[in-house]
Amino acid sequence: MTVHLRGRSLRTRLLFFIGVTLAVVCAAMAVTTIFAQHKYLLGSLDDRVANAVARSQGGAALHPELDANLGFLNESGQPAGTLAARLTADGTLLSAQVVTQDAAPRDLTPAQRSALAGIKADGSMHTRTVPGLGTYRITAVGGSAENGVRVLTGLPMDDVQDMIRGLVVVEAVVAVVGLTVAGCLCAVVIRRQLRPLGRVAATAVEVSRAPLGRGAVVGLTRVPERDTDPQSEAGQVGAALNRMIDHVESSLAERQADEERMRRFLSDASHELRTPLASIAGYAELMNRGTQRIEPALAWRRVSAESARMTGLVEDLLLLARLDEGRPLQSAEVDLAAVVAESVWDARAAGENHHWQLALLLDSPALVVGDEARLHQVVANLLANARVHTPAGTTVVASVEIVDERCVIRVRDDGPGIPPHLLPSVFERFTRADVSRARNSPQDGGSGLGLAIVSAIVAAHGGGIGVESTPGHTEFTIELPTARVVPPTASRPELRTPLRR
């Protein structure tokens, strides 16, 4: 049965098991009721049989000398169908009669008498089937030691059996009607309760048919809000399915964005490498054709410059690859104040048209554990970014402070700011304000890897980086864990050192 139902719907299985359970319960109740009623009716009949045999013994005791006398059956009050007999000491019947309706008691036939054989006069109750009379409840009692009167008396069980049969019929009819009504109600209730689960299943089927492996997938069907009630099991399944669909959409969107970034990365990287390679190949071709077409010194300078540009790009890509792989950096105690100060002096030398300032807001040394060269590269890239993307006369301030046991480096400028549409992707690779690939000079912009390298190096040191930008104020903030716990102080003096051109 279980194997047969395994392929059925949940509604069918629920109806089947509920129906079987109700049927078993009804059967158990019916059997218990019939058993209890039968026991009660049989006990009542036994009491009447005991009273009847007591009356019969009393009537027979009036004439103890008459062993076969059954005259007490003629007394009033004896119900029709009552049978009585006189017994010997060994249980043999001396005489036996049955009371008939509106007639004198009638003697039992030999076959009927044989049905009463073997009953001892000990007062115990017996059930015997007497041919032609039906089933009887019979008992026999013995007389006292003085008179030795032994009497057998029985009453028919037809009333008890008829009542039990009627009770069985009533119980069966009630059970059939009750099971039918209960089955219909259960079918309606189960169908209504399983509707949310059906809608959840329909949503899952629809989502499973969506082309998830091809391109962007948005607008997937969701389970209706009414079917996401956490108080019900179907609602929990619906809510979980909605969350899974959200995760699928976000994962697919992220995968598509990653693929798009990868395609753009490969395209930009190939273009950035192709440009210096084409330049080197062009100068080499001119040199091969003869020195009269170009001065050798100029050709070699251009080849060296393009080689350096290509080398720098390759080194940046290799650095990002190493950081992506999680390769460990050098680890030593680094004084961030010294690193920032050196970077600012280097920036001043490279950008004399900007105003450079250094602010050391420290009560104690700003020590971190990390790679000094890479941390210097972080600050240098931020300062170079400010120099390249802001006009002459812009003020750039680099500061170092300790906040909540973390070293904080801030680089801010009062330039035009970063375009709002670039802020979310400013730390992604090959992100540039000028999306064109034409570069007339180094001042036109870099390869778009500087801030990506900064973010990767900071992350490798267990820190974080953020940016805020509005016209007239752009600020990059770097937080790094300190090498030791810095005790709190009541005041913090500020040291601002302007670097004049």
Side-chain angles (χ1 to χ4, degrees):
M1 184 70 69
T2 303
V3 176
H4 180 67
L5 291 174
R6 184 172 300 171
R8 301 290 182 177
S9 65
L10 178 61
R11 182 184 297 112
T12 302
R13 286 182 287 170
L14 286 176
L15 283 175
F16 174 78
F17 288 117
I18 290 176
V20 170
T21 302
L22 290 176
V24 171
V25 171
C26 288
M29 293 178 61
V31 170
T32 303
T33 301
I34 293 171
F35 177 78
Q37 188 68 18
H38 181 270
K39 185 176 182 181
Y40 170 77
L41 293 176
L42 192 61
S44 177
L45 179 61
D46 288 345
D47 292 340
R48 290 190 288 124
V49 171
N51 292 332
V53 77
R55 290 196 306 271
S56 298
Q57 188 180 27
L62 297 177
H63 304 284
E65 70 281 359
L66 302 176
D67 294 341
N69 181 28
L70 296 176
F72 54 84
L73 291 178
N74 296 319
E75 296 178 359
S76 60
Q78 296 288 355
T82 302
L83 61 80
R86 296 289 297 273
L87 305 175
T88 62
D90 59 358
T92 303
L93 272 67
L94 298 175
S95 60
Q97 294 181 343
V98 60
V99 178
T100 59
Q101 186 72 27
D102 300 329
R106 177 173 54 84
D107 291 334
L108 298 182
T109 64
Q112 294 171 339
R113 290 168 63 95
S114 64
L116 303 177
I119 298 177
K120 297 182 180 180
D122 55 4
S124 59
M125 297 291 173
H126 301 270
T127 299
R128 295 290 176 90
T129 299
V130 181
L133 297 180
T135 304
Y136 273 75
R137 192 69 171 168
I138 301 172
T139 186
V141 295
S144 62
E146 291 80 8
N147 53 37
V149 177
R150 293 176 176 80
V151 180
L152 180 146
T153 302
L155 294 178
M157 296 181 63
D158 295 339
D159 293 342
V160 174
Q161 292 179 334
D162 291 342
M163 187 171 293
I164 294 299
R165 282 193 290 268
L167 182 60
V168 170
V169 173
V170 171
E171 291 281 356
V173 172
V174 171
V176 171
V177 174
L179 286 175
T180 302
V181 174
C184 295
L185 290 177
C186 287
V188 173
V189 172
I190 290 175
R191 181 173 299 173
R192 290 176 60 88
Q193 295 299 318
L194 290 182
R195 281 178 184 173
L197 190 59
R199 289 191 290 267
V200 171
T203 302
V205 171
E206 186 174 351
V207 171
S208 68
R209 293 173 179 172
L212 301 181
R214 288 179 287 171
V217 177
V218 294
L220 293 177
T221 304
R222 298 296 197 280
V223 177
E225 186 176 355
R226 60 177 177 169
D227 297 331
T228 58
D229 184 7
Q231 301 299 324
S232 65
E233 288 77 6
Q236 294 174 8
V237 174
L241 181 59
N242 279 351
R243 289 194 297 271
M244 185 185 70
I245 295 174
D246 292 338
H247 293 162
V248 168
E249 279 194 348
S250 61
S251 298
L252 290 175
E254 184 177 354
R255 185 186 70 179
Q256 187 183 24
D258 290 341
E259 292 176 353
E260 183 63 26
R261 285 194 297 268
M262 180 59 67
R263 284 193 295 267
R264 189 173 67 249
F265 174 83
L266 294 176
S267 177
D268 290 343
S270 61
H271 181 83
E272 293 291 340
L273 290 173
R274 184 178 60 183
T275 300
L277 285 174
S279 179
I280 293 172
Y283 283 112
E285 180 66 21
L286 290 176
M287 293 289 291
N288 288 332
R289 291 181 180 179
T291 58
Q292 68 277 9
R293 294 179 176 270
I294 189 173
E295 296 182 4
L298 175 61
W300 285 117
R301 284 198 302 270
R302 296 305 302 158
V303 169
S304 298
E306 295 298 335
S307 298
R309 178 183 173 186
M310 186 171 59
T311 301
L313 177 60
V314 172
E315 289 179 350
D316 288 344
L317 292 175
L318 288 176
L319 174 60
L320 287 173
R322 293 191 188 99
L323 294 175
D324 289 342
E325 293 175 0
R327 295 186 183 181
L329 300 175
Q330 294 182 4
S331 181
E333 195 173 74
V334 180
D335 185 354
L336 284 184
V339 170
V340 174
E342 292 175 1
S343 300
V344 171
W345 283 103
D346 294 340
R348 174 188 177 277
E352 296 182 350
N353 295 325
H354 288 67
H355 301 289
W356 304 93
Q357 294 182 355
L358 173 65
L360 302 179
L361 313 177
L362 299 171
D363 299 321
S364 59
L367 301 178
V368 298
V369 176
D371 189 328
E372 182 175 358
R374 295 307 176 193
L375 292 175
H376 187 279
Q377 184 178 3
V378 166
V379 181
N381 282 4
L382 292 178
L383 295 175
N385 186 72
R387 173 175 53 83
V388 171
H389 297 288
T390 58
T394 301
T395 300
V396 182
V397 180
S399 65
V400 183
E401 59 182 323
I402 296 178
V403 179
D404 297 332
E405 301 180 4
R406 296 180 72 83
C407 293
V408 179
I409 301 174
R410 289 186 173 91
V411 177
R412 64 180 180 272
D413 63 72
D414 55 2
I418 302 173
H421 69 278
L422 287 181
L423 276 177
S425 59
V426 71
F427 294 108
E428 295 180 3
R429 299 168 190 183
F430 294 108
T431 298
R432 294 182 296 242
D434 179 14
V435 296
S436 67
R437 289 172 175 165
R439 298 289 186 270
N440 297 324
S441 66
Q443 284 73 26
D444 291 338
S447 62
L449 296 177
L451 293 181
I453 293 175
V454 168
S455 177
I457 294 175
V458 171
H461 284 80
I465 184 171
V467 60
E468 296 178 356
S469 182
T470 57
H473 179 83
T474 299
E475 181 173 320
F476 288 86
T477 303
I478 297 174
E479 294 186 3
L480 296 171
T482 58
R484 58 184 178 86
V485 177
V486 179
T489 57
S491 61
R492 182 178 61 185
E494 179 175 334
L495 173 61
R496 184 180 296 271
T497 306
L499 301 179
R500 303 186 182 275
R501 292 186 287 117

